[in-house]
Amino acid sequence: MSRANNRIQILCDHLQTNNTSANFHQTTLDTPFIAYDKFEEIKVSIKDDVKVAILQFNRPKQMNTFSFKMANEMVTALKQLDTEKNVHCIIITGDDRSFSCGADLKELGEMDFKKMYPYGNAVDKIGQIATISKPVIGAVAGLALGGGCETALLCDIVIAGEKARFALPEIKIGTIPGAGGTQRLTRAVGKSKAMEMILTGRMITAQEALASGIASQVVPTDKVLETALKLATEIASLSNPISKLAKEAVDHAYESSLNEGLHLERKLFISTFKYPDRKEGMDAFKEKRKPNWSNEL
């Protein structure tokens, strides 16, 4: 076993041995969640009373590594949830040991250039998280490595557990990040920090992720999903059409120049005045009552 793999295994064992809430996902995903049963490598549940969906990676023996099948199921589920009227916010999570440890090297290791080139779109599947219009929260309790880290970077908000670890270690296996890691990490943490992480492949702690801007909160491991659900519930309780516009504006700031972003923000701000929820929100404020959002377009 290589030194890098040995360090990862030691860390995995440490997380497993010191796990304070091994079943926190199972207990939190209890009723009133309604589970879909058409997926095999992910679990999808909807909590109707608060309009929140949870997508959980379900390859625990493989440290939730991305097979081509899991990537396809994830994208299929997310696109379906993006159209569900009773879903206003989505949480992506794994388990206490691993959010996701990236690509399944048993699959990827069999690829050569001729095989990989036509299958490159499978790697692009992770990037399709960026096309989801509803707010997406990453609940990261354990390891987020490679494609797992790239998935976290694609989430709108990341809640990290105290034992969470983030890394883009592809350079240690003779390749580079392929699902947006070099681009999104640089935008999140700056060039110097991104270069350090990508050129060494080293892990950073949850506290480092918080300081670097990858995560918005660090909480105890057994509070990760609970915290994400509380935040998702708060977001989902507001107007869904307006939340989508706010997300679009922030995403544009992330991907464009300041002038372009300001131009789009102005257009989106003006466009809110055609929505019933804009009038309801302002009327409720004037009347000192709670808004009754219609979520109508």
Side-chain angles (χ1 to χ4, degrees):
M1 181 179 289
S2 69
R3 287 185 178 180
N5 289 335
N6 188 48
R7 284 195 297 270
I8 292 174
Q9 186 60 52
I10 291 171
L11 180 57
C12 291
D13 292 342
H14 173 74
L15 292 174
Q16 189 175 34
T17 302
N18 292 281
N19 179 15
T20 57
S21 182
N23 295 315
F24 86 114
H25 285 89
Q26 284 76 4
T27 56
T28 309
L29 290 176
D30 211 352
T31 54
F33 285 92
I34 302 171
Y36 295 135
D37 59 4
K38 72 177 194 175
F39 301 112
E40 296 179 6
E41 298 194 349
I42 63 171
K43 293 180 181 179
V44 179
S45 305
I46 297 175
K47 195 172 191 306
D48 282 310
D49 57 340
V50 292
K51 295 182 170 60
V52 173
I54 294 180
L55 187 157
Q56 181 180 4
F57 300 133
N58 188 34
R59 301 186 80 219
K61 292 182 180 179
Q62 296 82 20
M63 300 293 290
N64 290 328
T65 52
F66 275 100
S67 63
F68 290 135
K69 183 176 184 178
M70 191 172 91
N72 280 321
E73 288 188 350
M74 178 188 70
V75 172
T76 299
L78 286 173
K79 288 185 175 180
Q80 178 179 327
L81 291 170
D82 210 24
T83 67
E84 293 278 1
K85 290 185 178 180
N86 61 329
V87 173
H88 289 183
C89 191
I90 302 167
I91 296 171
I92 299 178
T93 192
D95 56 45
D96 289 1
R97 292 181 65 204
S98 173
F99 177 71
S100 170
C101 282
D104 186 336
L105 295 185
K106 289 183 178 179
E107 281 189 358
L108 205 60
E110 296 299 317
M111 295 289 177
D112 58 21
F113 178 76
K114 289 182 179 180
K115 291 179 181 178
M116 190 61 197
Y117 191 79
Y119 282 99
N121 63 339
V123 179
D124 294 337
K125 289 288 184 181
I126 294 175
Q128 292 186 37
I129 297 172
T131 68
I132 304 304
S133 65
K134 295 174 181 176
V136 178
I137 298 173
V140 182
L143 299 172
L145 310 181
C149 184
E150 289 169 312
T151 299
L153 289 168
L154 279 157
C155 294
D156 301 311
I157 302 169
V158 173
I159 306 298
E162 292 173 330
K163 298 172 184 175
R165 298 291 184 270
F166 299 81
L168 293 173
E170 286 85 350
I171 200 163
K172 294 183 178 181
I173 56 170
T175 186
I176 67 171
T182 63
Q183 306 303 300
R184 291 190 174 89
L185 183 66
T186 304
R187 285 165 170 76
V189 306
K191 178 183 175 182
S192 182
K193 188 68 173 180
M195 283 288 194
E196 177 188 344
M197 289 180 64
I198 291 168
L199 294 179
T200 66
R202 82 170 185 88
M203 293 184 188
I204 63 171
T205 65
Q207 290 296 339
E208 288 178 283
L210 178 65
S212 299
I214 295 174
S216 66
Q217 296 183 52
V218 175
V219 299
T221 300
D222 61 341
K223 299 294 184 183
V224 172
L225 192 57
E226 178 184 328
T227 303
L229 182 56
K230 182 178 179 181
L231 179 60
T233 299
E234 181 180 356
I235 292 170
S237 71
L238 303 172
S239 170
N240 186 232
I242 304 303
S243 292
K244 289 181 178 181
L245 293 180
K247 172 175 173 172
E248 182 181 352
V250 175
D251 279 343
H252 206 72
Y254 186 72
E255 298 167 358
S256 67
S257 69
L258 175 60
N259 285 336
E260 289 174 332
L262 290 171
H263 179 67
L264 178 69
E265 180 190 75
R266 185 173 183 275
K267 288 176 62 177
L268 293 176
F269 166 70
I270 292 172
S271 76
T272 64
F273 281 75
K274 70 181 181 182
Y275 289 92
D277 280 347
R278 190 281 314 164
K279 185 176 187 308
E280 169 62 14
M282 293 187 178
D283 287 347
F285 178 80
K286 289 187 294 184
E287 296 165 12
K288 298 182 180 179
R289 60 175 174 82
K290 186 177 179 179
N292 182 24
W293 307 115
S294 69
N295 296 302
E296 293 179 6
L297 299 176

